[in-house]
Amino acid sequence: AQKVTQAQTEISVVEKEDVTLDCVYETRDTTYYLFWYKQPPSGELVFLIRRNSFDEQNEISGRYSWNFQKSTSSFNFTITASQVVDSAVYFCALSGDKIIFGKGTRLHILP
Amino acid sequence: GAVVSQHPSWVICKSGTSVKIECRSLDFQATTMFWYRQFPKQSLMLMATSNEGSKATYEQGVEKDKFLINHASLTLSTLTVTSAHPEDSSFYICSAISRDRGYEQYFGPGTRLTVT
């Protein structure tokens, strides 16, 4: 069975601090994709990244970075120098024949 | 990038009535469309998977007679909530994938349903 665990339900940090959102997954598939999505208050999902199971390279995109470690089945997301606009719910997801979402982490960036 | 639209973006209906939500892929033909449901402060839960021209596959616990899904064309899928009740109030999100686009999943903006 596939499973995505986001242990952090809610996080609050002060603006400009760095914050890491954790994601641990379970799957028996050898080929799969991992995703991160941002959901602002409007509700529309914003795609952030897709990572193939064969590609363990870390990725950096501006203030965002992702650390994929197959050995620990983790795909963590770090926001550097957080901003108030980063406040949202962030979902980690795993794709086999369908996408399974974690429960999400609600991130509050305090001014 | 590909665009998936949903209509309406929000709807209020009375208990006992039916409401239809449309999901359209605007610039590509969707091999498969998915319907998700999201309660406030909760995650997205997959309701069903629909392929064009065939019956939808429902996830365990989802009533197929209550949530009717029709995928009549490669660009349109509809979800009809029949005999709606207040507990059906939720945020419904569709997504679409296309073989031509490497099976990347594109999400619609969601439809907020309130049943009074």
Side-chain angles (χ1 to χ4, degrees):
Chain A
Q2 296 185 315
K3 188 178 177 182
V4 176
T5 302
Q6 293 180 255
Q8 304 148 308
T9 306
E10 203 156 344
I11 300 175
S12 294
V13 300
V14 176
E15 197 173 20
K16 296 184 184 176
E17 286 185 358
D18 299 347
V19 58
T20 295
L21 309 182
D22 298 332
C23 173
V24 175
Y25 64 92
E26 293 177 29
T27 181
R28 291 181 181 175
D29 292 342
T30 53
T31 301
Y32 51 89
Y33 289 95
L34 293 163
F35 303 80
W36 275 95
Y37 290 90
K38 174 182 180 179
Q39 189 177 42
S42 65
E44 183 163 0
L45 285 174
V46 178
F47 168 82
L48 296 178
I49 190 171
R50 180 177 81 161
R51 175 61 82 220
N52 183 299
S53 55
F54 295 111
D55 183 2
E56 284 193 74
Q57 276 196 328
N58 291 333
E59 172 124 357
I60 298 175
S61 176
R63 296 184 297 108
Y64 296 168
S65 62
W66 292 268
N67 182 272
F68 177 25
Q69 302 234 344
K70 259 176 126 170
S71 60
T72 55
S73 297
S74 65
F75 187 44
N76 296 338
F77 171 35
T78 298
I79 301 175
T80 304
S82 61
Q83 299 176 1
V84 173
V85 293
D86 295 328
S87 296
V89 180
Y90 290 84
F91 290 100
C92 178
L94 168 68
S95 172
D97 54 346
K98 52 192 176 187
I99 288 187
I100 304 297
F101 285 82
K103 291 190 175 182
T105 297
R106 187 172 298 273
L107 178 63
H108 301 278
I109 308 299
L110 308 172
Chain B
V3 178
V4 174
S5 71
Q6 282 184 241
H7 178 79
S9 54
W10 59 270
V11 57
I12 301 173
C13 71
K14 290 188 176 180
S15 192
T17 62
S18 295
V19 61
K20 181 186 286 187
I21 302 170
E22 291 186 351
C23 175
R24 292 183 185 273
S25 55
L26 297 183
D27 57 353
F28 67 100
Q29 293 187 323
T31 312
T32 304
M33 287 183 167
F34 301 90
W35 286 96
Y36 294 84
R37 180 176 184 175
Q38 185 181 29
F39 289 112
K41 297 194 176 184
Q42 293 190 26
S43 186
L44 282 76
M45 299 302 297
L46 180 65
M47 298 175 68
T49 303
S50 78
N51 296 296
E52 186 263 340
S54 62
K55 289 184 178 180
T57 302
Y58 290 81
E59 295 298 302
Q60 195 172 12
V62 178
E63 299 175 60
K64 59 182 68 174
D65 294 332
K66 180 164 186 65
F67 299 100
L68 301 178
I69 292 172
N70 184 279
H71 193 159
S73 76
L74 283 171
T75 60
L76 173 65
S77 176
T78 60
L79 167 67
T80 301
V81 182
T82 62
S83 188
H85 289 282
E87 55 264 33
D88 298 324
S89 299
S90 189
F91 192 54
Y92 292 88
I93 303 173
C94 74
S95 68
I97 62 174
S98 169
R99 178 181 53 235
D100 296 339
R101 289 183 181 250
Y103 296 103
E104 183 81 48
Q105 188 159 148
Y106 299 96
F107 285 87
T111 296
R112 195 165 299 281
L113 169 64
T114 302
V115 184
T116 61

